[in-house]
Amino acid sequence: MLRTIPRTFAAINKPSAFSGLRYKHTLPALPYAYEALEPYISGEIMKIHHAKHHQTYINNLNAAEEKLGSAFKGNDVNEEISIQSAIKFNGGGHINHTLFWENLAPGNKEIPKPSGELLKEIEKTWGSFDQFVSKFNTQTAAVQGSGWGWLGYNKEFKRLEIATTSNQDPLKPTTGLIPLLGVDVWEHAYYLQYKNVRPDYLNAIWHVINWKTVTDRFTKAHK
């Protein structure tokens, strides 16, 4: 389950207590070592992906929010509008990666499967777990350029759906679906190990999916 994104407080020189606080996003710690997902995702990729790429999204999000705060104070609507794309891109990168780390876990030689109500819903929707994986991989491999593959929950129609998003667009604000499982298909997530063969990465990642986390998200979403 996506937890509240950790934040810290930094003082700035403003007269009121409220304006004297600035909220800063921070990099969430991983619940496993960088090398724990090997051989399916290398420790080198995990370290660069988490410590460099995710940290960069956070740094840029903090900077964009600081600029947005200044624009609000200056009543500069043009500047407020111009900053929105940076907030969407970097904020989406922060949200997406936080979800991604949490729905991964140390690997298994056999591909793990969900159980209970989630498995029943997957089988009802796609016929079998294997057919779901095949459909997910096909749609996600077809993402043009950079983006994400998702298993989401549609609360309106009470059903599971596979979706893709471009760049760092977050699933819920973009589609309305509640994210249950997200897979990063930016090349930085796999290129050092799988080169440009995205389907091989997608086949491998099922060995390290944390179905407990995905099931917890499903349980909360469909209540």
Side-chain angles (χ1 to χ4, degrees):
M1 181 173 64
L2 179 62
R3 300 183 292 271
T4 302
I5 295 172
R7 294 183 175 190
T8 57
F9 301 98
I12 56 177
N13 296 321
K14 295 295 177 183
S16 69
F18 178 78
S19 63
L21 291 176
R22 173 173 167 258
Y23 303 93
K24 295 188 70 174
H25 304 277
T26 58
L27 185 69
L30 297 183
Y32 41 77
Y34 287 134
E35 64 273 13
L37 305 186
E38 294 183 345
Y40 309 104
I41 304 178
S42 73
E44 181 184 15
I45 287 176
M46 288 298 298
K47 183 175 182 180
I48 294 171
H49 197 174
H50 177 254
K52 300 294 185 183
H53 288 282
H54 191 173
Q55 184 66 64
T56 297
Y57 293 123
I58 290 169
N59 294 344
N60 291 339
L61 176 60
N62 285 330
E65 288 187 338
E66 186 172 354
K67 289 180 181 178
L68 184 63
S70 297
F72 279 143
K73 292 174 184 177
N75 197 29
D76 188 342
V77 177
N78 286 316
E79 181 67 7
E80 292 172 25
I81 293 171
S82 71
I83 295 166
Q84 295 305 310
S85 61
I87 291 176
K88 179 182 179 182
F89 181 78
N90 293 291
H94 187 20
I95 291 170
N96 293 344
H97 283 88
T98 301
L99 286 163
F100 183 56
W101 309 134
E102 292 175 357
N103 63 220
L104 299 178
N108 301 272
K109 290 184 179 179
E110 298 295 326
I111 292 177
K113 296 182 179 181
S115 59
E117 290 301 314
L118 177 56
L119 180 59
K120 289 179 182 178
E121 285 296 315
I122 287 173
E123 292 174 339
K124 182 177 76 173
T125 305
W126 290 283
S128 70
F129 176 74
D130 288 344
Q131 288 180 16
F132 156 69
V133 169
S134 177
K135 184 71 171 178
F136 186 101
N137 285 0
T138 298
Q139 287 187 217
T140 304
V143 170
Q144 294 185 345
S146 301
W148 290 76
W150 300 96
L151 173 64
Y153 185 72
N154 187 319
K155 286 188 73 74
E156 181 180 359
F157 296 103
K158 301 185 184 304
R159 69 189 183 198
L160 298 174
E161 296 182 15
I162 295 170
T164 59
T165 55
S166 299
N167 300 313
Q168 293 298 349
D169 291 356
L171 185 67
K172 189 174 181 181
T174 303
T175 69
L177 299 176
I178 297 173
L180 306 180
L181 167 66
V183 175
D184 188 351
V185 289
W186 280 64
E187 283 195 343
H188 64 235
Y190 61 87
Y191 191 86
L192 288 178
Q193 186 171 359
Y194 296 97
K195 306 309 178 188
N196 64 339
V197 189
R198 183 183 286 175
D200 285 357
Y201 160 70
L202 289 171
N203 288 332
I205 203 168
W206 296 102
H207 289 271
V208 292
I209 295 299
N210 185 344
W211 285 108
K212 181 181 184 305
T213 293
V214 179
T215 299
D216 288 345
R217 292 172 183 169
F218 171 71
T219 300
K220 182 178 179 181
H222 89 296
K223 282 183 179 180

